[in-house]
Amino acid sequence: MVRRPVAWVVALVLFVEGLGVAALQWFLGVVVDRQDMSLAGLDPDVMSTSSKVGGLVFGGYFALCGLVALLVAVRDRAPAGFGRILLISAAVVHGLLGAFAWGLVGWTAFLLMVVVLGLIVLLLMTYDAQGAPAAQEPVGAAPDGGQGGDGSPAGGPPVTSPPAPTTP
């Protein structure tokens, strides 16, 4: 089974990524604060504070997504409801970050974002494929869902009752 190890890896990657994003944004906030420069008339203190708060919010978002993946790994059940929505949104965010990273940072950052995107999608798809209940087939039905090559219910010739005997 590949499901649980993928969930553990996704949880670890998202926790590390959340910590990294928060630390990077905090560092950028400190740099802006120490340079004491203005960008288009904006107050440097506001830019510094918003960078730090944005880093904490975005890092917390990735950490929450990591928590969902951790719960999936521990419980060995597919994410449902809000957790599934969080993981899907994290996949979309990584796709967008990958597109921006290609143009702004380079292909290595793009590759990293695509790998994380692939891991999240793999987590969602492996639990989705194996977590769905199998449909009950009626007894005597064809393996193809009851539609044989000739359209009959069991894949063979249509079953008909014998004709009633005629009396003279």
Side-chain angles (χ1 to χ4, degrees):
M1 297 283 267
V2 176
R3 300 181 334 169
R4 271 190 134 160
V6 168
W8 284 107
V9 169
V10 168
L12 179 67
V13 166
L14 287 174
F15 282 132
V16 168
E17 190 174 17
L19 184 63
V21 165
L24 177 67
Q25 289 296 111
W26 194 272
F27 173 74
L28 291 175
V30 169
V31 167
V32 167
D33 195 31
R34 289 192 180 161
Q35 290 208 352
D36 203 27
M37 296 172 63
S38 174
L39 177 68
L42 293 174
D43 183 20
D45 292 331
V46 172
M47 288 192 310
S48 172
T49 304
S50 63
S51 176
K52 292 175 182 176
V53 169
L56 291 176
V57 168
F58 209 46
Y61 164 73
F62 282 138
L64 186 61
C65 292
L67 179 65
V68 170
L70 181 67
L71 290 173
V72 168
V74 169
R75 296 176 180 167
D76 197 25
R77 284 190 306 186
F82 185 67
R84 185 172 182 80
I85 292 170
L86 268 177
L87 288 177
I88 291 171
S89 70
V92 170
V93 165
H94 279 87
L96 292 172
L97 286 176
F100 290 130
W102 180 276
L104 298 175
V105 181
W107 67 271
T108 53
F110 168 76
L111 186 63
L112 180 69
M113 290 295 116
V114 169
V115 166
V116 177
L117 167 67
L119 283 171
I120 294 171
V121 170
L122 183 64
L123 169 72
L124 290 168
M125 296 303 290
T126 55
Y127 275 94
D128 202 30
Q130 296 177 356
Q136 292 288 336
E137 296 265 343
V139 177
D144 58 358
Q147 293 299 317
D150 60 352
S152 64
V159 178
T160 59
S161 57
T166 56
T167 57

